Amino acid sequence: MAIEIRNITKSYGSKKVVDNVSVTIPTGKITSFIGPNGAGKSTVLSIMSRLLNADSGEIYLNGELLNRKKSSDIAKQLAILKQTNNINLRLTIEDLVAFGRFPYSKGNLTQTDRTFIDNAIAYMNKRGFHNIILSIETITS
């Protein structure tokens, strides 16, 4: 097991947005959180990545309590790219995947980092798309 979420609850004022959620996300698998707007998907992911604090519950990363781990160690095992950002960027798929190597390379990619990036792109069957530019921008209503 890679990530285990146990009985997570989060409220904003009197509105409970996550209510006693438990889930195990296995190692080596692709997992999707699917549901309508307001279901709590982003909140659970934000709690899981320590961008938000849960009101109650626990999260374990590879058997260790997440809130006892250093952020730099967590970043080597867990990353999140939220749907909405406060920035406008033009990145290639390769650039985006390279962000996952930052905790190791600190921005100076080595050949080992490039191998990990290439393997990740190949794993997702996106080899021919690695240089396609993605426009990442915030859309506000």
Side-chain angles (χ1 to χ4, degrees):
M1 130 188 55
I3 301 170
E4 185 178 356
I5 298 170
R6 294 183 190 166
N7 306 313
I8 293 296
T9 299
K10 178 70 177 174
S11 297
Y12 294 106
S14 62
K15 181 176 171 107
K16 195 173 280 191
V17 294
V18 175
D19 188 9
N20 200 34
V21 170
S22 295
V23 65
T24 299
I25 302 170
T27 301
K29 302 291 182 188
I30 295 173
T31 302
S32 298
F33 287 13
I34 300 170
N37 289 345
K41 304 176 301 289
S42 294
T43 301
V44 169
L45 289 171
S46 292
I47 292 168
M48 191 172 74
S49 61
R50 291 198 330 189
L51 295 173
L52 281 177
N53 291 320
D55 296 334
S56 63
E58 298 174 321
I59 299 178
Y60 292 85
L61 181 58
N62 293 324
E64 295 181 54
L65 199 55
L66 191 69
N67 65 6
R68 292 192 182 149
K69 294 177 73 82
K70 289 195 267 181
S71 292
S72 59
D73 292 337
I74 293 169
K76 291 179 179 178
Q77 300 174 20
L78 175 66
I80 184 171
L81 177 63
K82 294 184 74 159
Q83 182 176 346
T84 57
N85 302 285
N86 293 323
I87 55 175
N88 295 324
L89 293 174
R90 288 177 51 85
L91 301 170
T92 64
I93 291 172
E94 186 172 6
D95 293 334
L96 191 58
V97 174
F99 281 136
R101 294 303 300 166
F102 186 82
Y104 301 92
S105 67
K106 306 293 188 239
N108 297 312
L109 295 175
T110 66
Q111 186 55 48
T112 300
D113 295 313
R114 297 219 178 270
T115 299
F116 275 105
I117 293 163
D118 290 343
N119 289 344
I121 291 169
Y123 177 78
M124 295 303 294
N125 200 24
K126 299 297 179 198
R127 254 202 188 120
F129 301 99
H130 69 284
N131 285 321
I132 290 179
I133 295 176
L134 305 168
S135 181
I136 301 172
E137 55 187 76
T138 302
I139 299 173
T140 56
S141 52

